[in-house]
């Protein structure tokens, strides 16, 4: 079974004909992992070559953005070039046109960006009918004294500036939504969340052996003092009952997909979107040879979310944060959890204190786990991936889990003169149990 994130990681690269060399290790392991003193951070020099970090996009935009940086174009133009590629691709169901809708069948988009050199920021949330929300977020700081616009106000603002209104719900996404609607019972976002004492584990009848996480090291005190969590040897959806359940659901949903008129070659993808709908989004951070940085995030948010739900992606400091003195970071994954740790801001602040990009990302992931006191029966439903670049070009990709649902490693893309896919540094071994549950 291939999830959306797995698809994006594996197939799309080859589909786009990009010859990306896979690298098992960090290209510059030392810089990515070396902690510094705060004074040393202040003295860091710009990199000799630009650096871009993002997720696997399946298109040529990362190479094109890199060329833009080499040509001296602005870092925000470059990161938005990558975002636009995803927003304009109807096959990408996590962002822009073709994004999966909310539970009412309406696509609502979120985006934010920060321009390091001018220290400006813009954001839009819950925008309907406008596909290129990454550019609308930028227009917020270019045309107003505000930082964030939401809902119909943001949509009208975009339309006033000439962004075309269009229906963002593609036929494929509409059918996936119909399949979800027809197939769902408790598979939605209603009910008490995991932080609520009244929360009940929907898998309680299908127990998965879950080791309790050793909380030692959750609150580290400084660079070099962040001992790793003992990787929790979490089995990936291991019980025969669980496998049976998935097989049964898949069969049933595939039949329903046929009834809904979903073409045979698209059925499996549609079923996967219903079974594992939670991840997507694109974040891009970049630094050029002058040390100028920008970051941007754009998303259709969690599939089947409640109308009006806003995730982390448009929240400056959570979904994206850039500080021209230090670095730039951003996130994809369970937005609610990332908001609670102000993920991107936390990472940048830790780097300011001297944490390496990798340690800053891992420490922030630990805080997410800490928010659930390390209870693995909750943490297993969470997902998070961070993309990080420091002003000297040191970078990291960090993920909560080491693999996607298929066991494929979690990866990120870096271009620093050579475009490649690297494995994320992962806090926990295994893969999440996706939410909403079956
Ligand atoms: N972070 C996004 C959100 O919560 C979703 C994702 O990255 O999958 O809206």
């Amino acid at each position: 079974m291939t999830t959306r994130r797995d698809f994006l990681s594996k197939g799309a690269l080859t589909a786009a004909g990009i010859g990306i060399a896979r690298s098992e290790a960090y290209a510059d392991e030392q810089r990515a992992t070396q902690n510094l003193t705060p004074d040393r951070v202040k003295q860091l020099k710009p990199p000799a070559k630009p650096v871009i970090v993002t997720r696997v996009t399946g298109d040529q935009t990362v190479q094109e953005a890199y060329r833009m940086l080499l040509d001296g174009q602005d870092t925000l133009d470059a990161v938005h070039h990558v975002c636009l590629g995803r927003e304009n691709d109807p096959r990408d169901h996590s962002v822009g046109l073709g994004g999966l809708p909310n539970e009412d069948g309406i696509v609502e988009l979120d985006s934010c960006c920060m321009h390091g050199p001018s220290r400006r920021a813009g954001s839009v949330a819950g925008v309907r009918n406008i596909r290129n929300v990454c550019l609308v977020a930028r227009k917020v700081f270019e045309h107003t004294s505000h930082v964030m616009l939401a809902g119909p106000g943001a949509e009208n603002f975009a339309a006033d500036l000439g962004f075309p209104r269009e229906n963002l719900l593609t036929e494929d996404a509409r059918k996936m939504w119909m399949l979800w609607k027809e197939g769902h019972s408790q598979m939605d976002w209603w009910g008490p969340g995991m932080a609520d004492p009244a929360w009940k584990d929907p898998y309680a009848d299908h127990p998965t052996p879950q080791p309790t996480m050793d909380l030692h090291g959750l609150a580290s005190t400084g660079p070099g003092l962040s001992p790793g969590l003992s990787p929790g040897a979490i089995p990936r959806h291991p019980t025969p009952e669980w496998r049976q359940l998935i097989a049964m659901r898949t069969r049933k949903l595939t039949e329903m997909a046929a009834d809904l008129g979903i073409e045979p070659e698209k059925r499996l993808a549609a079923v996967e979107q219903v079974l594992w709908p939670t991840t997507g989004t694109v974040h891009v951070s970049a630094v050029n040879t002058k040390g100028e940085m920008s970051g941007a995030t754009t998303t259709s948010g969690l599939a089947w979310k409640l109308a009006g739900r806003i995730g982390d992606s448009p929240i400056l400091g959570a979904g994206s944060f850039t500080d021209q003195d230090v670095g730039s970071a951003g996130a994809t994954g369970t937005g609610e959890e990332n908001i609670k740790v102000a993920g991107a801001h936390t990472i940048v602040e830790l780097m300011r204190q001297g944490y390496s990009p990798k340690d800053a990302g891992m420490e922030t992931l630990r805080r997410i786990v800490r928010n659930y006191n390390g209870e693995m029966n909750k943490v297993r439903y969470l997902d998070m991936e961070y993309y990080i670049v420091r002003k000297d070009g040191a970078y990291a990709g960090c993920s909560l889990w080491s693999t996607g649902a298929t066991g494929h490693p979690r990866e990120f893309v870096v271009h620093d003169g050579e475009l490649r896919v690297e494995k994320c540094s992962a806090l926990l071994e295994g893969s999440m149990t996706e939410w909403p549950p079956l």
Side-chain angles (χ1 to χ4, degrees):
M1 188 73 57
T2 305
T3 67
R4 176 163 35 146
R5 182 101 70 194
D6 285 343
F7 165 76
L8 290 165
S9 298
K10 283 187 290 182
L13 277 176
T14 0
I18 307 168
I20 297 184
R22 278 168 193 270
S23 161
E24 291 291 307
Y26 282 91
D28 194 342
E29 175 78 30
Q30 268 220 312
R31 279 199 305 153
T33 54
Q34 196 185 16
N35 293 309
L36 307 170
T37 62
D39 278 345
R40 180 80 188 85
V41 174
K42 285 185 194 138
Q43 291 153 11
L44 286 173
K45 299 272 178 299
K49 290 181 181 166
V51 179
I52 299 176
V53 285
T54 185
R55 68 158 223 221
V56 175
T57 59
D59 59 22
Q60 302 286 331
T61 52
V62 180
Q63 295 97 309
E64 289 160 2
Y66 200 80
R67 175 111 312 271
M68 289 168 74
L69 293 177
L70 290 176
D71 290 346
Q73 292 189 51
D74 189 79
T75 47
L76 190 55
D77 290 335
V79 303
H80 274 156
H81 183 75
V82 180
C83 293
L84 286 169
R86 297 300 76 229
E87 288 179 351
N88 291 332
D89 184 349
R91 295 165 307 167
D92 190 326
H93 295 299
S94 69
V95 55
L97 177 70
L100 292 180
N102 64 21
E103 63 175 9
D104 299 337
I106 297 167
V107 180
E108 286 183 333
L109 304 180
D110 299 332
S111 183
C112 75
C113 61
M114 288 185 88
H115 184 243
S118 62
R119 300 186 189 273
R120 289 181 298 173
S123 158
V124 287
V127 183
R128 301 178 175 187
N129 304 314
I130 307 283
R131 84 163 69 168
N132 292 139
V133 281
C134 70
L135 295 184
V136 184
R138 179 178 187 155
K139 295 283 181 202
V140 172
F141 72 69
E142 286 178 344
H143 290 273
T144 81
S145 314
H146 303 311
V147 164
M148 189 168 192
L149 295 177
E155 181 185 335
N156 291 340
F157 169 74
D160 289 348
L161 287 170
F163 286 83
R165 280 195 164 98
E166 63 186 313
N167 180 11
L168 301 176
L169 187 66
T170 57
E171 211 27 36
D172 282 350
R174 187 188 66 76
K175 285 180 178 164
M176 287 172 188
W177 169 66
M178 285 303 296
L179 184 61
W180 168 75
K181 257 174 101 71
E182 292 203 10
H184 86 286
S185 49
Q186 76 264 57
M187 289 164 31
D188 59 34
W189 297 100
W190 289 94
M194 283 187 293
D196 191 312
W199 181 78
K200 289 205 175 51
D201 187 348
Y203 278 119
D205 294 343
H206 301 274
T208 305
Q210 296 292 333
T212 314
M213 174 148 287
D214 174 9
L215 283 179
H216 173 69
L218 283 182
S220 58
T221 50
L225 296 176
S226 53
L229 291 170
S230 50
I234 315 287
R236 292 182 42 241
H237 311 139
T239 62
E241 292 82 5
W242 192 92
R243 283 186 214 286
Q244 253 173 18
L245 191 68
I246 293 289
M248 207 180 69
R249 283 293 301 157
T250 304
R251 259 197 313 278
K252 179 105 187 75
L253 285 165
T254 309
E255 282 164 26
M256 290 165 72
D259 287 348
L260 281 169
I262 298 178
E263 294 93 322
E265 67 278 10
K266 292 182 179 167
R267 268 175 219 162
L268 190 58
V271 168
E272 285 167 355
Q273 295 293 9
V274 173
L275 290 176
W276 289 285
T278 58
T279 55
T281 305
V282 59
H283 169 80
V284 193
S285 273
V287 58
N288 67 15
T289 52
K290 290 189 237 160
E292 295 167 342
M293 287 173 283
S294 288
T297 301
T298 183
T299 190
S300 50
L302 297 176
W304 336 129
K305 61 193 175 184
L306 275 62
R309 176 266 184 190
I310 305 293
D312 60 328
S313 305
I315 308 294
L316 292 152
S320 192
F321 190 75
T322 305
D323 185 319
Q324 187 50 47
D325 296 336
V326 180
S328 184
T332 60
T334 318
E336 282 71 5
E337 304 312 321
N338 194 38
I339 291 172
K340 289 194 280 183
V341 297
H345 181 262
T346 296
I347 289 168
V348 172
E349 285 308 309
L350 288 171
M351 289 198 292
R352 192 195 311 277
Q353 289 172 31
Y355 279 65
S356 70
K358 179 182 161 189
D359 278 4
M362 300 302 262
E363 171 62 16
T364 307
L365 291 169
R366 280 186 199 99
R367 292 183 188 190
I368 290 176
V369 176
R370 182 204 53 194
N371 280 351
Y372 287 100
N373 299 316
E375 290 168 35
M376 281 295 112
N377 67 329
K378 295 179 178 173
V379 172
R380 66 172 165 159
Y381 295 115
L382 310 180
D383 189 27
M384 193 52 58
E385 205 159 299
Y386 290 126
Y387 311 82
I388 309 162
V389 65
R390 202 171 55 194
K391 69 175 177 185
D392 63 335
Y395 64 88
C398 299
S399 59
L400 186 58
W401 296 101
S402 61
T403 60
T406 55
H408 188 76
R410 301 302 285 265
E411 295 171 329
F412 69 106
V413 163
V414 59
H415 199 329
D416 58 0
E418 176 206 12
L419 176 66
R420 54 188 184 279
V421 177
E422 295 193 9
K423 268 193 206 167
C424 291
S425 301
L427 186 67
L428 302 169
E429 206 50 56
S431 67
M432 72 179 290
T433 305
E434 306 239 0
W435 183 275
L438 300 169

